[in-house]
Amino acid sequence: DQQVKQNSPSLSVQEGRISILNCDYTNSMFDYFLWYKKYPAEGPTFLISISSIKDKNEDGRFTVFLNKSAKHLSLHIVPSQPGDSAVYFCAASETGGTSYGKLTFGQGTILTVHP
Amino acid sequence: KAGVTQTPRYLIKTRGQQVTLSCSPISGHRSVSWYQQTPGQGLQFLFEYFSETQRNKGNFPGRFSGRQFSNSRSEMNVSTLELGDSALYLCASSVDGGGVRNTEAFFGQGTRLTVV
């Protein structure tokens, strides 16, 4: 049972345009969502997060949108740069309860930004 | 501020052997989680430690174990290695593992384990 899904295995965009990466989740107990960027054979790098009490969070070129009713979130990168090319993971967690320290990850989306 | 440090970066072991991986969290972080990444299964949660206690565990066999020391450093051990244990093992540290409030997790570079 995959509780976090990234349905697009890959995305290709031109430099300077917007990149939109999508993520869906099924567990209504998730209340905190994170995006990570990852290069092969390295650890994920934290990009941006959003709490379920918000519907938008912005940090520089990165904006995350959360639609709780649809159980959907998206990461917007504007403008996209060739250095953004990497695998992007969406992750979700529950605060409190017994799910300590556990992030549930999607399968990742490979973003390629062409010069 | 130093990030999460994992050692060693690469390891080659033979089936049946055991291995110990180490993780030093960010200073002030008391929660350490471990993940396994494989091409087929993606990033899978192994377990979490906080104040030397395991608070949460994923769906992995008992051959996978861990511990945490009083300085929050953590080790993970895999006994009786199998070929399928070949993976990138990642540790992540956070302030409190989301026990009380939302908290970001920061990852180390990982240990690439190859079992032959």
Side-chain angles (χ1 to χ4, degrees):
Chain A
D1 173 32
Q2 203 174 344
Q3 298 186 42
V4 178
K5 293 181 184 179
Q6 294 176 256
N7 291 317
S8 298
S10 63
L11 175 67
S12 181
V13 299
Q14 284 296 125
E15 181 179 6
R17 308 294 285 267
I18 184 171
S19 294
I20 299 176
L21 298 108
N22 294 302
C23 178
D24 297 295
Y25 63 96
T26 57
N27 187 342
S28 58
M29 298 300 291
F30 289 147
D31 62 357
Y32 194 54
F33 304 90
L34 309 91
W35 284 94
Y36 287 87
K37 173 182 177 181
K38 188 179 183 302
Y39 296 112
E42 291 188 10
T45 300
F46 170 74
L47 284 175
I48 191 169
S49 61
I50 187 166
S51 164
S52 60
I53 63 172
K54 295 184 175 181
D55 55 19
K56 177 183 174 181
N57 189 26
E58 220 171 327
D59 184 0
R61 297 186 298 114
F62 301 93
T63 303
V64 56
F65 296 91
L66 175 62
N67 182 332
K68 278 183 63 179
S69 60
K71 292 190 176 68
H72 176 83
L73 62 155
S74 60
L75 174 68
H76 293 210
I77 306 174
V78 185
S80 301
Q81 300 172 352
D84 295 329
S85 298
V87 181
Y88 287 77
F89 288 94
C90 165
S93 68
E94 298 176 41
T95 303
T98 58
S99 292
Y100 300 112
K102 180 180 178 180
L103 292 174
T104 301
F105 283 87
Q107 291 296 92
T109 297
I110 301 170
L111 173 65
T112 304
V113 181
H114 299 282
Chain B
K1 195 172 187 181
V4 180
T5 304
Q6 289 188 247
T7 56
R9 287 294 308 277
Y10 303 94
L11 210 46
I12 299 175
K13 289 286 188 179
T14 305
R15 269 183 306 174
Q17 288 186 312
Q18 74 163 15
V19 66
T20 299
L21 313 180
S22 179
C23 173
S24 293
I26 292 170
S27 177
H29 286 191
R30 296 169 64 192
S31 169
V32 174
S33 296
W34 288 88
Y35 293 84
Q36 181 196 66
Q37 186 186 26
T38 58
Q41 297 298 317
L43 279 148
Q44 301 286 314
F45 173 77
L46 281 154
F47 32 64
E48 187 256 9
Y49 285 86
F50 180 86
S51 291
E52 302 177 64
T53 300
Q54 185 184 91
R55 295 191 301 182
N56 197 6
K57 190 177 188 307
N59 291 330
F60 280 83
R63 299 185 297 106
F64 292 81
S65 63
R67 60 177 175 168
Q68 187 180 36
F69 303 94
S70 58
N71 62 357
S72 294
R73 189 177 72 85
S74 177
E75 288 181 347
M76 120 168 212
N77 185 275
V78 188
S79 63
T80 319
L81 283 165
E82 301 177 358
L83 295 179
D85 297 332
S86 295
L88 180 66
Y89 289 89
L90 295 158
C91 94
S93 81
S94 68
V95 173
D96 76 342
V100 174
R101 58 186 174 90
N102 296 334
T103 179
E104 295 87 7
F106 298 91
F107 284 80
Q109 293 281 68
T111 294
R112 169 67 65 184
L113 172 64
T114 303
V115 182
V116 297

